[in-house]
Structures are given as C-alpha cells and as structure tokens.
Amino acid sequence: MKRIILISFLALFSYALQSQDANAIPEKSQPGFFAGISYSYLSIESELNDLEYHSVWYGQDLGTVNVDQGELDMINEQRTELYDRHYLAVEPGMVFLNNNRWCFEGSVLFGVSRVKFKTEIDQPEATQKTVTTDFKNLVTGISLNLRYNFSEKWGLSMMPQLIYTWGDSDDIKDNIRPQVDFFVNDLKESYSNGYGRLNIMASYMAGKLMVSLGPGFYYSFINKTYTIDRINPETMDKYHDEIESSLNSIAFIDACLRVDWTIIQPLTLSMESAAGQDLFIKTFLRYNF
C-alpha cells in the first residue's frame, strides 16, 4: 500500500510540473484572517514502550517495579492498545502570505475532547479494560498550510499539524485486574496525548473545489497513570497501586485525501481523511474576513 501511495503522488507531481506553464496564474486576493469550528476523530493502535508498577499496602511501601524491554516485547505480542479521540474546537487563524505562487497560513485550536482507551489481552479467556471520558478534557493544537502553485489548477501542499490533549477519568471497567466485591474501590486514570502529522499532497483546483491527495506521516505518544485505591471495610486496611505507562503509535504512514470547498466567498468547508492502519478525520468550517 505504501508503494501505491508514493507512486500515485509522484505521478501527480510529475503531471503538475509539466503543466505549470500551461496557464498563467491570475492575481488572487484572500482575507488575511479566518476563524471557524473544527471536529476531529482519531483511531490509533499503540504499543507499550515503558511500564512501571508501584504499590503501598497496609501503609508499607512495596517498592517500584520497572518492566524491562524483553518483558515489554512479550506483553506487546499478547496485548492490543486502542485509542479513540473526538474533539470539538474553535480554530482562529491568519493568512501570512498569498501571491501568485505561494500561500502560507496557520491556525491554532482550543476545545474539548472525548477519549476512549481500550486494552485487550489475547488469552484463553479474553480480558479487557476500557477507560472513557465525556466531552470535558482539554485539547489544543496548531496547524500550518504551505502551498506552491505550479499553475492555475495545480499545486503542491505541505500541511503539518500538532494536537495535544490531556485529562483524567474515573469511568473505568477493568476485568484485567478484577476488584474484590466487598472492598471500596476507587479507580482513576490520567493521561496526556500528543499527535503530530505531516501531509505532503498534490492539489488540483476545479471551480470552487480544491482536491488534494498524497501521503501522510504521523506519530502519536500517550502517557498514562492508572491508580487503584482499595479499602477493606472490615479491617480498614488500605491498598494503593499505581501503574505508569507510555505508548507510541505502531504505524507512521497513510494515504490522505482533502477537499476544500468555497461554499460562498466568505465560507470555506475543509474535509480531510487519512487512512492506513489507523484512521484520522477532520472537518473545518471557517469564515474568512
């Protein structure tokens, strides 16, 4: 699939070079600022690269256990880590440069996110753990778009973006580490996630539509702290377990398709989808002024 993506991209790029002198590029005038609302969905599979356990039982510190790389490899062979994220954000931005050949713009986003972590262990009796949140955790990020126009219709775009979200949840269902029924159990997990991607796409303008296609390169990291506090109501003995883990994405390349539609002169709708082993979708409705 990677080879098909690259071949398609090179073919589009070659055709754009051949046609760059076919049509003169008219002068364009675009607003210098814009603002809008964006929605994004990310589904990604990760693997552990660090795992640490720390326990305090009956008031006694039992110490910290760091899992070595060999054990991590064995765990990753039997374990699947899935991460889903939705966010809704406001996204103001600015057009820094716009002339016959070049266009450069950038935006920042601020909003709220909903996430779901799912851990599955492949054993004779399948076990899993899920952690979900409402739309209450914060998200921020930055996006850039640099485009070079070969002709009136053809161009080449480079679109880097970075998104960061963090928060916590106590909506946890864990049958990997089953709890004692009559204990008072308090489960909580905090997390932070960074996701960056770079799209390099050939673009074609058709009326009010700009269609862009090319490969995307991405990376995701997640840091999590899972705390389990239990109290035996009969003896009031306390048990505290803390599990710290860090994960990163397994794949790093996908195929990306983007459509920008000028609905009316001040309004633009952008729709972006990137698919491979993982999935990324973003829609952005912006008002230019």
Side-chain angles (χ1 to χ4, degrees), residues 84-120:
D84 286 351
R85 185 208 65 210
H86 304 256
Y87 80 66
L88 186 64
V90 294
E91 194 165 341
M94 179 177 180
V95 179
F96 300 101
L97 174 66
N98 186 52
N99 56 37
N100 285 350
R101 290 293 182 189
W102 294 95
C103 179
F104 179 47
E105 62 184 33
S107 62
V108 294
L109 66 89
F110 308 94
V112 291
S113 66
R114 176 184 183 274
V115 304
K116 179 179 180 180
F117 297 97
K118 186 175 182 180
T119 303
E120 295 182 333

Side-chain angles (χ1 to χ4, degrees), residues 158-225:
M158 183 171 65
M159 302 177 185
Q161 56 185 295
L162 178 64
I163 301 168
Y164 186 78
T165 183
W166 68 98
D168 54 61
S169 175
D170 56 9
D171 184 2
I172 300 172
K173 298 178 177 61
D174 186 358
N175 59 17
I176 295 177
R177 302 171 188 85
Q179 309 302 311
V180 181
D181 290 337
F182 68 89
F183 275 25
V184 179
N185 299 296
D186 182 20
L187 311 180
K188 185 176 181 179
E189 184 165 281
S190 60
Y191 74 94
S192 61
N193 167 236
Y195 178 78
R197 67 178 296 113
L198 172 64
N199 300 332
I200 302 176
M201 299 188 286
S203 58
Y204 180 78
M205 178 69 74
K208 295 184 177 182
L209 291 177
M210 176 180 289
V211 180
S212 304
L213 175 66
F217 305 90
Y218 63 95
Y219 179 78
S220 171
F221 72 85
I222 304 169
N223 294 321
K224 299 193 292 183
T225 300

